[in-house]
């Protein structure tokens, strides 16, 4: 019985990892679709979000079935409940990738992003994807040090977001209101995506250490 | 034992209702703070969000304690898991009210909203508050018909959102980029707030009927 139980618990964890990989890739492809004005790629990201929703429903049903059948307590219970929360984060990340792809589709055959912002948006998209790749690794390894890295990556995202705003609010902005609206929303989508990745890493830290990430002070490293 | 159990289950439900009331009120006050450029009110909404986060943590801990001690199955288990999801929705609504209040604070002593958009933003703010009031009632009464009403209210929100965009993208827009950015984000905050209220109502429909709201077709009413 214990064996089936741990298999079920592992299956939930595997599903989370699969979801995280999927949405990280979706955000990468959505960014490419937007910068290259690639309609076909945008459409595939938009259609792919159904798969994320399905994964989330499956994960929720597995978690409820496990709770009902195995009635875990203590840490195992917390793992299952936390997995539910993380799957909601990931489902939302899928939506955000879809939103980016929809902006790409809406502006096709143009790119929604003017040339002087391409570099910043590309960096935001890549950073978002990197944050999710790290969150995925944290899910697999439960590496608390790596989880803490995501906080710094998120600071970098905030800094890119500020760069974006300084472009928008510069007197020399000449791309008009429509592009300003697109860029404002895109900035928000990447920022939220990053927040969810950070939130996943923080939940792992809490599961491992019993402390919230903002309270957690890592042991000072021995000087080499 | 069963009595303590149902008391715990009721307490979780009461906490959800309290959270929903709190965030509905917060969004109302944030909108007022923004339209009236009322800094003190904005500050109080911003400070109040900590209370929402605290309520959410308490609810999560109560739910986990209940799962561990009482090991509910079937419907009761689904209620507890769904409550966890709804508390996350409500926590996010608190954040969104805080975001609106922060825009108000940032633009003080001006109002972030130009006069020709005041009516639309006021309507969005009021509709957001009404949606949350209805979601709260749905939480209390489990009224499926009322829950379905939120879908229509959400269509109204989408329509207001389109109105906002048509103002933004009108050639006669003369409020500059900064205001366009503010208005874009504000529109997004109200829309997301509404989405969360709808999502809460849908989860109640699912708990009551076992069907997802989009699959649920209410019985045709007898013609009077």
């Amino acid at each position: 019985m214990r064996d089936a139980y741990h298999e079920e618990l592992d299956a939930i964890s595997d599903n989370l990892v699969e979801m995280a990989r999927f949405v990280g890739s979706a955000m990468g492809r959505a960014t490419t679709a937007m910068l290259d004005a690639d309609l076909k790629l945008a459409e595939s990201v938009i259609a792919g979000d159904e798969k994320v929703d399905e994964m989330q429903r499956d994960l929720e049903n597995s978690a409820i079935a496990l709770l009902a059948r195995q009635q875990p307590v203590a840490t195992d219970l917390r793992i299952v409940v936390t997995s539910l929360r993380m799957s909601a984060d990931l489902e939302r990340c899928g939506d955000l990738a879809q939103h980016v792809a929809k902006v790409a589709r809406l502006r096709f055959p143009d790119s929604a992003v003017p040339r002087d912002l391409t570099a910043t948006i590309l960096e935001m998209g890549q950073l978002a994807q990197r944050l999710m790749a790290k969150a995925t690794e944290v899910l697999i390894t439960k590496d608390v040090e790596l989880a803490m890295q995501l906080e710094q990556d998120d600071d970098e995202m905030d800094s890119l977001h500020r760069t974006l705003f300084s472009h928008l609010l510069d007197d020399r902005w000449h791309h008009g209101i429509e592009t300003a609206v697109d860029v404002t929303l895109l900035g928000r989508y990447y920022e939220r995506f990053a927040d969810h990745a950070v939130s996943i890493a923080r939940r792992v830290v809490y599961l491992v250490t019993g402390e919230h990430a903002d309270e957690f002070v890592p042991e000072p490293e021995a000087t080499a």
Side-chain angles (χ1 to χ4, degrees), chain A:
Chain A
M1 198 62 183
R2 278 309 273 184
D3 267 9
Y5 170 47
H6 280 101
E7 260 173 41
E8 277 183 65
L9 207 56
D10 286 349
I12 288 175
S13 171
D14 290 349
N15 287 351
L16 271 184
V17 168
E18 200 199 339
M19 274 184 89
R21 283 201 177 122
F22 192 95
V23 300
S25 156
M27 193 48 124
R29 284 176 299 125
T31 305
T32 304
M34 191 177 49
L35 294 177
D36 296 354
D38 183 335
L39 183 61
K40 225 169 141 183
L41 191 58
E43 293 283 10
S44 85
V45 174
I46 293 164
D49 189 47
E50 235 176 75
K51 168 102 169 120
V52 182
D53 296 346
E54 202 185 294
M55 287 193 271
Q56 208 246 326
R57 274 195 300 273
D58 288 350
L59 197 146
E60 198 166 306
N61 289 331
S62 309
I64 289 174
L66 187 148
L67 288 172
R69 268 205 303 270
Q70 313 281 3
Q71 314 203 316
V73 292
T75 307
D76 285 352
L77 172 57
R78 225 168 236 286
I79 289 174
V80 177
V81 169
T82 303
S83 299
L84 281 167
R85 283 297 300 275
M86 295 197 284
S87 80
D89 280 311
L90 292 168
E91 188 265 325
R92 187 72 202 134
C93 285
D95 291 343
L96 292 164
Q98 193 190 40
H99 289 343
V100 171
K102 280 185 175 172
V103 174
R105 182 172 68 180
L106 184 65
R107 299 304 168 213
F108 181 81
D110 296 322
S111 167
V113 178
R115 290 216 175 277
D116 51 340
L117 281 177
T118 301
T120 308
I121 291 284
L122 179 62
E123 271 195 79
M124 290 182 93
Q126 289 184 340
L127 183 57
Q129 212 182 338
R130 250 177 6 249
L131 270 154
M132 193 53 77
K134 281 192 192 170
T136 311
E137 211 181 313
V138 169
L139 280 172
I140 297 169
T141 61
K142 322 282 182 244
D143 181 339
V144 170
E145 301 264 321
L146 182 65
M148 305 306 284
Q149 271 188 30
L150 274 88
E151 305 281 341
Q152 285 148 42
D153 292 335
D154 194 39
D155 290 344
E156 202 183 322
M157 182 62 90
D158 290 341
S159 150
L160 286 166
H161 206 196
R162 277 192 299 274
T163 305
L164 205 63
F165 272 103
S166 70
H167 275 279
L168 275 168
L169 301 179
D170 192 302
D171 286 338
R172 286 161 297 177
W173 178 266
H174 58 277
H175 304 296
I177 299 286
E178 187 175 87
T179 303
V181 169
D182 284 348
V183 168
T184 301
L185 290 176
L186 288 170
R188 181 95 194 131
Y189 300 150
Y190 289 118
E191 197 203 16
R192 290 295 303 147
F193 189 95
D195 287 344
H196 288 291
V198 171
S199 150
I200 287 167
R202 282 186 186 158
R203 289 186 213 282
V204 174
V205 171
Y206 185 69
L207 278 178
V208 174
T209 69
E211 286 173 77
H212 290 286
D214 50 358
E215 296 157 0
F216 179 79
V217 183
E219 296 277 316
E221 273 177 47
T223 42

